[in-house]
Amino acid sequence: MGALRPGDRLEEPALAARFGVSRTPIREALLQLAGAGLIEIGPRRGASVAAIGPRRLVEMFDVMAELEAMCASLAARRASAEEIAAIREAHAACGAATRTSLDAYYYENEVFHERIRTASHHGFLIEQATALQKRLKPYRRLQLRVRGRMDASWAEHARVVDALAAGDAEAAAAAMRDHVVVQGARFTDLIVSMEAEAAP
């Protein structure tokens, strides 16, 4: 993950050789990635990794924040005791990961958010939130490279967990929204990280 940068070309013959398959499954995979918004396919240009501009990125994070806030709100009302325990377990795993590596935290963080989405018990909402989460994966990962962001993220998780455990839908939504949305200094930090990633 992160080996390809926005704008990088994706050549079918090279990909087929790399994965030891014919060009047909490569073409099908590229179409699926294009459908998910992860790559762009243009006439006479072929396929390339999608590049998202700053304004579009903010809009996507705004929508992601609202979708995940809705998931948290519903989870506060609908989650079973077992689901709350599983969310607490994921939060504890995130805490342990802050003492190991960014990659470890990133993957545990995915589990944490997935368990909250599942606890919402709202199929269509889960589908939409998961689809957008996949598009934003590289950018959510970049955020964690900012100094102190991993610890701050874990502290934000704690507020979400407390609200979920209390069954406070409004507080859970607010805590999750604040956790996901990118604005002010956090957005500036993300852009700087993106520029550093794109630098040769």
Side-chain angles (χ1 to χ4, degrees):
M1 175 135 185
L4 297 174
R5 297 172 178 166
D8 281 357
R9 294 287 300 277
L10 299 168
E11 304 289 349
E12 285 184 19
L15 290 170
R18 176 180 174 185
F19 294 104
V21 297
S22 71
R23 291 177 63 174
T24 299
I26 294 296
R27 194 170 296 119
E28 291 172 357
L30 291 176
L31 289 172
Q32 288 184 20
L33 290 170
L38 296 173
I39 69 169
E40 298 169 343
I41 300 176
R44 296 181 298 279
R45 290 189 301 112
S48 60
V49 179
I52 301 174
R55 179 174 178 177
R56 180 75 164 179
L57 191 59
V58 167
E59 291 173 346
M60 291 171 73
F61 268 103
D62 284 346
V63 174
M64 186 79 251
E66 292 304 321
L67 291 176
E68 293 216 24
M70 188 174 176
C71 287
S73 175
L74 290 172
R77 290 163 34 201
R78 299 176 175 179
S80 66
E82 290 77 13
E83 286 171 326
I84 293 295
I87 292 166
R88 285 191 185 280
E89 180 183 277
H91 176 56
C94 286
T98 63
R99 299 186 290 278
T100 56
S101 71
L102 183 152
D103 283 341
Y105 183 85
Y106 174 79
Y107 292 117
E108 296 297 347
N109 178 63
E110 282 199 316
V111 172
F112 176 78
H113 284 273
E114 181 184 3
R115 288 185 180 175
I116 293 172
R117 288 195 294 270
T118 299
S120 74
H121 296 278
H122 192 301
F124 183 73
L125 176 60
I126 293 169
E127 289 173 14
Q128 298 307 305
T130 301
L132 185 51
Q133 184 265 345
K134 286 179 180 176
R135 290 194 66 184
L136 286 172
K137 266 187 176 186
Y139 304 98
R140 294 182 82 159
R141 189 185 190 114
L142 276 174
Q143 275 194 101
L144 296 174
R145 294 186 183 180
V146 175
R147 185 185 304 237
R149 180 60 200 145
M150 200 158 47
D151 289 331
S153 174
W154 188 61
E156 291 162 9
H157 283 184
R159 290 192 284 278
V160 174
V161 172
D162 288 345
L164 291 173
D168 189 334
E170 188 174 332
M176 182 63 83
R177 185 179 297 109
D178 289 345
H179 171 59
V180 175
V181 76
V182 176
Q183 55 190 346
R186 279 180 59 190
F187 177 65
T188 303
D189 290 341
L190 176 57
I191 295 301
V192 170
S193 295
M194 288 170 60
E195 290 171 347
E197 183 77 3

PDB file of all heavy atoms in Angstrom, residues 109-131:
ATOM      1  N   ASN A 109      -6.876   0.360  13.737  1.00  0.00           N
ATOM      2  CA  ASN A 109      -7.835   1.450  13.576  1.00  0.00           C
ATOM      3  C   ASN A 109      -8.939   1.054  12.599  1.00  0.00           C
ATOM      4  O   ASN A 109     -10.121   1.356  12.816  1.00  0.00           O
ATOM      5  CB  ASN A 109      -7.104   2.703  13.081  1.00  0.00           C
ATOM      6  CG  ASN A 109      -8.032   3.870  12.840  1.00  0.00           C
ATOM      7  OD1 ASN A 109      -8.673   4.367  13.749  1.00  0.00           O
ATOM      8  ND2 ASN A 109      -8.107   4.321  11.598  1.00  0.00           N
ATOM      9  N   GLU A 110      -8.569   0.354  11.536  1.00  0.00           N
ATOM     10  CA  GLU A 110      -9.565  -0.116  10.574  1.00  0.00           C
ATOM     11  C   GLU A 110     -10.562  -1.064  11.246  1.00  0.00           C
ATOM     12  O   GLU A 110     -11.762  -1.001  10.986  1.00  0.00           O
ATOM     13  CB  GLU A 110      -8.878  -0.833   9.405  1.00  0.00           C
ATOM     14  CG  GLU A 110      -8.248   0.101   8.393  1.00  0.00           C
ATOM     15  CD  GLU A 110      -8.008  -0.596   7.065  1.00  0.00           C
ATOM     16  OE1 GLU A 110      -7.528  -1.744   7.080  1.00  0.00           O
ATOM     17  OE2 GLU A 110      -8.305   0.008   6.033  1.00  0.00           O
ATOM     18  N   VAL A 111     -10.047  -1.950  12.091  1.00  0.00           N
ATOM     19  CA  VAL A 111     -10.914  -2.897  12.805  1.00  0.00           C
ATOM     20  C   VAL A 111     -11.871  -2.140  13.727  1.00  0.00           C
ATOM     21  O   VAL A 111     -13.070  -2.445  13.792  1.00  0.00           O
ATOM     22  CB  VAL A 111     -10.071  -3.908  13.618  1.00  0.00           C
ATOM     23  CG1 VAL A 111     -10.971  -4.772  14.505  1.00  0.00           C
ATOM     24  CG2 VAL A 111      -9.235  -4.777  12.692  1.00  0.00           C
ATOM     25  N   PHE A 112     -11.344  -1.140  14.432  1.00  0.00           N
ATOM     26  CA  PHE A 112     -12.158  -0.340  15.350  1.00  0.00           C
ATOM     27  C   PHE A 112     -13.346   0.288  14.619  1.00  0.00           C
ATOM     28  O   PHE A 112     -14.505   0.162  15.043  1.00  0.00           O
ATOM     29  CB  PHE A 112     -11.280   0.749  15.982  1.00  0.00           C
ATOM     30  CG  PHE A 112     -12.019   1.702  16.881  1.00  0.00           C
ATOM     31  CD1 PHE A 112     -12.364   1.340  18.174  1.00  0.00           C
ATOM     32  CD2 PHE A 112     -12.358   2.972  16.436  1.00  0.00           C
ATOM     33  CE1 PHE A 112     -13.047   2.227  19.009  1.00  0.00           C
ATOM     34  CE2 PHE A 112     -13.034   3.866  17.258  1.00  0.00           C
ATOM     35  CZ  PHE A 112     -13.378   3.485  18.553  1.00  0.00           C
ATOM     36  N   HIS A 113     -13.060   0.951  13.500  1.00  0.00           N
ATOM     37  CA  HIS A 113     -14.125   1.614  12.749  1.00  0.00           C
ATOM     38  C   HIS A 113     -15.095   0.601  12.139  1.00  0.00           C
ATOM     39  O   HIS A 113     -16.312   0.839  12.111  1.00  0.00           O
ATOM     40  CB  HIS A 113     -13.526   2.519  11.670  1.00  0.00           C
ATOM     41  CG  HIS A 113     -12.976   3.796  12.211  1.00  0.00           C
ATOM     42  ND1 HIS A 113     -13.754   4.918  12.383  1.00  0.00           N
ATOM     43  CD2 HIS A 113     -11.732   4.123  12.638  1.00  0.00           C
ATOM     44  CE1 HIS A 113     -13.001   5.890  12.895  1.00  0.00           C
ATOM     45  NE2 HIS A 113     -11.780   5.429  13.057  1.00  0.00           N
ATOM     46  N   GLU A 114     -14.567  -0.519  11.663  1.00  0.00           N
ATOM     47  CA  GLU A 114     -15.428  -1.546  11.070  1.00  0.00           C
ATOM     48  C   GLU A 114     -16.413  -2.096  12.101  1.00  0.00           C
ATOM     49  O   GLU A 114     -17.592  -2.314  11.794  1.00  0.00           O
ATOM     50  CB  GLU A 114     -14.574  -2.676  10.512  1.00  0.00           C
ATOM     51  CG  GLU A 114     -15.390  -3.777   9.852  1.00  0.00           C
ATOM     52  CD  GLU A 114     -14.537  -4.952   9.392  1.00  0.00           C
ATOM     53  OE1 GLU A 114     -13.311  -4.939   9.636  1.00  0.00           O
ATOM     54  OE2 GLU A 114     -15.107  -5.887   8.816  1.00  0.00           O
ATOM     55  N   ARG A 115     -15.956  -2.296  13.329  1.00  0.00           N
ATOM     56  CA  ARG A 115     -16.844  -2.840  14.363  1.00  0.00           C
ATOM     57  C   ARG A 115     -17.962  -1.862  14.725  1.00  0.00           C
ATOM     58  O   ARG A 115     -19.090  -2.283  15.015  1.00  0.00           O
ATOM     59  CB  ARG A 115     -16.030  -3.236  15.596  1.00  0.00           C
ATOM     60  CG  ARG A 115     -15.199  -4.484  15.340  1.00  0.00           C
ATOM     61  CD  ARG A 115     -14.474  -4.994  16.539  1.00  0.00           C
ATOM     62  NE  ARG A 115     -13.706  -6.189  16.180  1.00  0.00           N
ATOM     63  CZ  ARG A 115     -12.876  -6.832  16.997  1.00  0.00           C
ATOM     64  NH1 ARG A 115     -12.713  -6.410  18.243  1.00  0.00           N
ATOM     65  NH2 ARG A 115     -12.219  -7.892  16.585  1.00  0.00           N
ATOM     66  N   ILE A 116     -17.645  -0.575  14.688  1.00  0.00           N
ATOM     67  CA  ILE A 116     -18.695   0.422  14.966  1.00  0.00           C
ATOM     68  C   ILE A 116     -19.696   0.449  13.822  1.00  0.00           C
ATOM     69  O   ILE A 116     -20.922   0.496  14.060  1.00  0.00           O
ATOM     70  CB  ILE A 116     -18.080   1.808  15.216  1.00  0.00           C
ATOM     71  CG1 ILE A 116     -17.264   1.792  16.514  1.00  0.00           C
ATOM     72  CG2 ILE A 116     -19.165   2.885  15.266  1.00  0.00           C
ATOM     73  CD1 ILE A 116     -16.464   3.050  16.771  1.00  0.00           C
ATOM     74  N   ARG A 117     -19.203   0.400  12.584  1.00  0.00           N
ATOM     75  CA  ARG A 117     -20.126   0.369  11.447  1.00  0.00           C
ATOM     76  C   ARG A 117     -21.041  -0.853  11.545  1.00  0.00           C
ATOM     77  O   ARG A 117     -22.254  -0.750  11.341  1.00  0.00           O
ATOM     78  CB  ARG A 117     -19.342   0.352  10.129  1.00  0.00           C
ATOM     79  CG  ARG A 117     -18.678   1.669   9.797  1.00  0.00           C
ATOM     80  CD  ARG A 117     -18.245   1.724   8.343  1.00  0.00           C
ATOM     81  NE  ARG A 117     -17.201   0.762   8.036  1.00  0.00           N
ATOM     82  CZ  ARG A 117     -15.905   1.010   8.134  1.00  0.00           C
ATOM     83  NH1 ARG A 117     -15.475   2.189   8.558  1.00  0.00           N
ATOM     84  NH2 ARG A 117     -15.023   0.081   7.811  1.00  0.00           N
ATOM     85  N   THR A 118     -20.471  -2.005  11.846  1.00  0.00           N
ATOM     86  CA  THR A 118     -21.263  -3.235  11.958  1.00  0.00           C
ATOM     87  C   THR A 118     -22.316  -3.117  13.055  1.00  0.00           C
ATOM     88  O   THR A 118     -23.456  -3.566  12.885  1.00  0.00           O
ATOM     89  CB  THR A 118     -20.339  -4.433  12.255  1.00  0.00           C
ATOM     90  OG1 THR A 118     -19.410  -4.576  11.175  1.00  0.00           O
ATOM     91  CG2 THR A 118     -21.136  -5.722  12.412  1.00  0.00           C
ATOM     92  N   ALA A 119     -21.943  -2.487  14.167  1.00  0.00           N
ATOM     93  CA  ALA A 119     -22.862  -2.349  15.307  1.00  0.00           C
ATOM     94  C   ALA A 119     -24.007  -1.386  15.026  1.00  0.00           C
ATOM     95  O   ALA A 119     -24.970  -1.324  15.793  1.00  0.00           O
ATOM     96  CB  ALA A 119     -22.097  -1.896  16.547  1.00  0.00           C
ATOM     97  N   SER A 120     -23.934  -0.660  13.902  1.00  0.00           N
ATOM     98  CA  SER A 120     -25.043   0.237  13.540  1.00  0.00           C
ATOM     99  C   SER A 120     -26.250  -0.561  13.050  1.00  0.00           C
ATOM    100  O   SER A 120     -27.380  -0.072  13.071  1.00  0.00           O
ATOM    101  CB  SER A 120     -24.610   1.222  12.451  1.00  0.00           C
ATOM    102  OG  SER A 120     -24.502   0.573  11.183  1.00  0.00           O
ATOM    103  N   HIS A 121     -26.009  -1.775  12.557  1.00  0.00           N
ATOM    104  CA  HIS A 121     -27.075  -2.640  12.035  1.00  0.00           C
ATOM    105  C   HIS A 121     -27.906  -1.929  10.963  1.00  0.00           C
ATOM    106  O   HIS A 121     -29.133  -2.006  10.943  1.00  0.00           O
ATOM    107  CB  HIS A 121     -27.977  -3.137  13.177  1.00  0.00           C
ATOM    108  CG  HIS A 121     -27.246  -4.003  14.150  1.00  0.00           C
ATOM    109  ND1 HIS A 121     -27.010  -5.347  13.937  1.00  0.00           N
ATOM    110  CD2 HIS A 121     -26.653  -3.701  15.342  1.00  0.00           C
ATOM    111  CE1 HIS A 121     -26.333  -5.849  14.953  1.00  0.00           C
ATOM    112  NE2 HIS A 121     -26.089  -4.873  15.824  1.00  0.00           N
ATOM    113  N   HIS A 122     -27.199  -1.235  10.073  1.00  0.00           N
ATOM    114  CA  HIS A 122     -27.855  -0.509   8.977  1.00  0.00           C
ATOM    115  C   HIS A 122     -27.091  -0.866   7.701  1.00  0.00           C
ATOM    116  O   HIS A 122     -26.058  -0.263   7.386  1.00  0.00           O
ATOM    117  CB  HIS A 122     -27.806   0.999   9.251  1.00  0.00           C
ATOM    118  CG  HIS A 122     -28.679   1.817   8.352  1.00  0.00           C
ATOM    119  ND1 HIS A 122     -28.555   1.838   6.984  1.00  0.00           N
ATOM    120  CD2 HIS A 122     -29.712   2.666   8.635  1.00  0.00           C
ATOM    121  CE1 HIS A 122     -29.439   2.651   6.461  1.00  0.00           C
ATOM    122  NE2 HIS A 122     -30.168   3.162   7.439  1.00  0.00           N
ATOM    123  N   GLY A 123     -27.614  -1.858   6.973  1.00  0.00           N
ATOM    124  CA  GLY A 123     -26.897  -2.402   5.824  1.00  0.00           C
ATOM    125  C   GLY A 123     -26.464  -1.395   4.778  1.00  0.00           C
ATOM    126  O   GLY A 123     -25.305  -1.371   4.353  1.00  0.00           O
ATOM    127  N   PHE A 124     -27.391  -0.546   4.336  1.00  0.00           N
ATOM    128  CA  PHE A 124     -27.058   0.404   3.272  1.00  0.00           C
ATOM    129  C   PHE A 124     -26.020   1.416   3.749  1.00  0.00           C
ATOM    130  O   PHE A 124     -25.084   1.752   3.017  1.00  0.00           O
ATOM    131  CB  PHE A 124     -28.313   1.133   2.793  1.00  0.00           C
ATOM    132  CG  PHE A 124     -28.051   2.072   1.649  1.00  0.00           C
ATOM    133  CD1 PHE A 124     -27.795   1.586   0.377  1.00  0.00           C
ATOM    134  CD2 PHE A 124     -28.042   3.450   1.852  1.00  0.00           C
ATOM    135  CE1 PHE A 124     -27.532   2.443  -0.680  1.00  0.00           C
ATOM    136  CE2 PHE A 124     -27.785   4.312   0.799  1.00  0.00           C
ATOM    137  CZ  PHE A 124     -27.533   3.814  -0.479  1.00  0.00           C
ATOM    138  N   LEU A 125     -26.167   1.892   4.966  1.00  0.00           N
ATOM    139  CA  LEU A 125     -25.208   2.839   5.525  1.00  0.00           C
ATOM    140  C   LEU A 125     -23.817   2.205   5.609  1.00  0.00           C
ATOM    141  O   LEU A 125     -22.807   2.841   5.271  1.00  0.00           O
ATOM    142  CB  LEU A 125     -25.661   3.288   6.913  1.00  0.00           C
ATOM    143  CG  LEU A 125     -24.719   4.215   7.687  1.00  0.00           C
ATOM    144  CD1 LEU A 125     -24.480   5.514   6.929  1.00  0.00           C
ATOM    145  CD2 LEU A 125     -25.287   4.498   9.078  1.00  0.00           C
ATOM    146  N   ILE A 126     -23.753   0.953   6.035  1.00  0.00           N
ATOM    147  CA  ILE A 126     -22.476   0.255   6.128  1.00  0.00           C
ATOM    148  C   ILE A 126     -21.823   0.167   4.751  1.00  0.00           C
ATOM    149  O   ILE A 126     -20.619   0.411   4.602  1.00  0.00           O
ATOM    150  CB  ILE A 126     -22.662  -1.153   6.734  1.00  0.00           C
ATOM    151  CG1 ILE A 126     -23.083  -1.039   8.200  1.00  0.00           C
ATOM    152  CG2 ILE A 126     -21.387  -1.984   6.613  1.00  0.00           C
ATOM    153  CD1 ILE A 126     -23.559  -2.359   8.808  1.00  0.00           C
ATOM    154  N   GLU A 127     -22.609  -0.161   3.724  1.00  0.00           N
ATOM    155  CA  GLU A 127     -22.083  -0.257   2.356  1.00  0.00           C
ATOM    156  C   GLU A 127     -21.483   1.065   1.909  1.00  0.00           C
ATOM    157  O   GLU A 127     -20.367   1.109   1.365  1.00  0.00           O
ATOM    158  CB  GLU A 127     -23.197  -0.657   1.386  1.00  0.00           C
ATOM    159  CG  GLU A 127     -23.676  -2.083   1.508  1.00  0.00           C
ATOM    160  CD  GLU A 127     -24.899  -2.332   0.634  1.00  0.00           C
ATOM    161  OE1 GLU A 127     -25.194  -1.489  -0.234  1.00  0.00           O
ATOM    162  OE2 GLU A 127     -25.553  -3.375   0.821  1.00  0.00           O
ATOM    163  N   GLN A 128     -22.211   2.168   2.113  1.00  0.00           N
ATOM    164  CA  GLN A 128     -21.759   3.471   1.645  1.00  0.00           C
ATOM    165  C   GLN A 128     -20.525   3.951   2.420  1.00  0.00           C
ATOM    166  O   GLN A 128     -19.568   4.478   1.843  1.00  0.00           O
ATOM    167  CB  GLN A 128     -22.890   4.493   1.765  1.00  0.00           C
ATOM    168  CG  GLN A 128     -24.112   4.171   0.920  1.00  0.00           C
ATOM    169  CD  GLN A 128     -23.778   3.940  -0.539  1.00  0.00           C
ATOM    170  OE1 GLN A 128     -23.169   4.785  -1.188  1.00  0.00           O
ATOM    171  NE2 GLN A 128     -24.156   2.790  -1.078  1.00  0.00           N
ATOM    172  N   ALA A 129     -20.556   3.768   3.739  1.00  0.00           N
ATOM    173  CA  ALA A 129     -19.418   4.191   4.560  1.00  0.00           C
ATOM    174  C   ALA A 129     -18.171   3.384   4.223  1.00  0.00           C
ATOM    175  O   ALA A 129     -17.059   3.930   4.138  1.00  0.00           O
ATOM    176  CB  ALA A 129     -19.755   4.042   6.049  1.00  0.00           C
ATOM    177  N   THR A 130     -18.342   2.096   3.995  1.00  0.00           N
ATOM    178  CA  THR A 130     -17.206   1.239   3.667  1.00  0.00           C
ATOM    179  C   THR A 130     -16.620   1.604   2.316  1.00  0.00           C
ATOM    180  O   THR A 130     -15.394   1.641   2.138  1.00  0.00           O
ATOM    181  CB  THR A 130     -17.624  -0.246   3.690  1.00  0.00           C
ATOM    182  OG1 THR A 130     -18.124  -0.569   4.993  1.00  0.00           O
ATOM    183  CG2 THR A 130     -16.448  -1.153   3.372  1.00  0.00           C
ATOM    184  N   ALA A 131     -17.474   1.891   1.339  1.00  0.00           N
ATOM    185  CA  ALA A 131     -16.998   2.257   0.004  1.00  0.00           C
ATOM    186  C   ALA A 131     -16.174   3.544   0.050  1.00  0.00           C
ATOM    187  O   ALA A 131     -15.100   3.634  -0.556  1.00  0.00           O
ATOM    188  CB  ALA A 131     -18.179   2.416  -0.944  1.00  0.00           C
TER     189      ALA A 131
END
